[in-house]
Amino acid sequence: MKTLLRSSLVLSVLVLSACSAFSASENLAFKVTFDANVESASKEDLGRAVNRVIERRVESMNGKVTDLKNTLTDAGADVSFTISPGKLAAPLTDQLVSPFSFQLMRAAKATEKPDLTIAEKGGYMQMGVTEKDVLWLYAGQDDATKKGWVRILFTEEGKKKVKDALSQTKGMQVALIVRNQLVSTFQSQGVGRENIMIDGVPTAELAGIFADDVNVGVHASFVPKK
């Protein structure tokens, strides 16, 4: 899979304009609900990913998180922390509660009206594979190349969708679109695969950031606590 992951791309879904001056801190708390696809053994991993996502998003805005507490519950987690400067509380909350989208799409033909058009990249058509079909993402490093990799696993229904989609697109460009941004592309060989591997990511750290962002986006829903 041709990798387009770059720090600026992955963080572009997280970053707002940097703030030049710090103001008073503010306390935030969220009820985080995990979806039904999260197995009991993965809840702790998802809870840790939630912490990392929060910290990275605040750091990307030149802010700081302190006193971060994450308590797992039957439904998910209760999360609380202090954010500095306080004016970052609103934009961070907007990011955390915003809907997440993940789509496997194919390049649109000249005669088709694209479902999604990405500047300088072209138009893409839906293939029926969305965030609802994602089971879990793993990330790591290739010992030989020192590059990062991401493995995307799908639910049982998702596996069937991915396999059918790839079997029907031989010779066509297939793209992974996250939050309406192009993440990676490859030319379909017409071979049905149940899962997707992205290799050649510049660093293992970047692969891990992407995996955390998608896992949290797919499986965790944030509701601010008053």
Side-chain angles (χ1 to χ4, degrees):
M1 183 173 258
K2 180 182 178 183
T3 303
L4 302 177
L5 283 168
R6 299 288 186 273
S7 295
S8 59
L9 175 60
V10 175
L11 294 180
S12 66
V13 298
L14 313 178
V15 176
L16 296 179
S17 298
C19 300
S20 59
F22 280 68
S23 58
S25 61
E26 185 170 334
N27 296 325
L28 286 177
F30 295 89
K31 178 181 179 181
V32 185
T33 302
F34 297 166
D35 74 22
N37 284 336
V38 180
E39 299 177 354
S40 297
S42 298
K43 287 186 176 180
E44 289 189 6
D45 290 337
L46 185 56
R48 287 190 288 268
V50 165
N51 290 353
R52 292 191 294 267
V53 165
I54 290 172
E55 291 172 332
R56 287 170 182 149
R57 293 189 180 194
V58 175
E59 289 173 2
S60 75
M61 295 186 285
N62 289 345
K64 184 178 181 180
V65 170
T66 55
D67 299 324
L68 176 57
K69 297 180 177 62
N70 187 323
T71 303
L72 292 180
T73 66
D74 291 339
D78 288 325
V79 179
S80 63
F81 54 93
T82 300
I83 185 171
S84 302
K87 63 183 177 180
L88 297 182
L92 175 66
T93 299
D94 287 343
Q95 290 184 32
L96 294 176
V97 302
S98 294
F100 178 83
S101 65
F102 174 107
Q103 301 171 88
L104 192 64
M105 307 184 78
R106 64 166 175 82
K109 301 175 183 178
T111 56
E112 294 177 319
K113 181 180 179 180
D115 293 319
L116 175 68
T117 299
I118 297 178
E120 299 181 3
K121 297 298 181 182
Y124 293 89
M125 306 298 295
Q126 301 283 359
M127 297 174 68
V129 180
T130 72
E131 65 278 356
K132 296 179 181 180
D133 301 306
V134 176
L135 181 62
W136 197 257
L137 271 68
Y138 292 95
Q141 177 177 281
D142 187 306
D143 292 335
T145 65
K146 305 304 179 184
K147 298 288 188 178
W149 55 261
V150 176
R151 189 182 183 203
I152 306 173
L153 304 183
F154 294 91
T155 63
E156 289 304 312
E157 183 178 355
K159 288 178 182 179
K160 296 176 183 178
K161 292 181 180 180
V162 172
K163 189 173 183 179
D164 289 344
L166 296 181
S167 297
Q168 298 169 14
T169 53
K170 184 175 182 179
M172 302 181 70
Q173 184 192 68
V174 174
L176 175 60
I177 311 289
V178 176
R179 290 194 177 95
N180 290 334
Q181 295 194 43
L182 182 62
V183 172
S184 194
T185 64
F186 66 97
Q187 185 176 36
S188 174
Q189 302 300 312
V191 178
R193 291 181 290 173
E194 295 184 339
N195 299 300
I196 290 177
M197 174 71 81
I198 302 175
D199 54 18
V201 180
T203 67
E205 180 182 11
L206 185 57
I209 290 173
F210 179 71
D212 280 347
D213 186 48
V214 175
N215 283 332
V216 171
V218 167
H219 298 300
S221 299
F222 291 76
V223 175
K225 299 175 78 172
K226 303 295 184 181

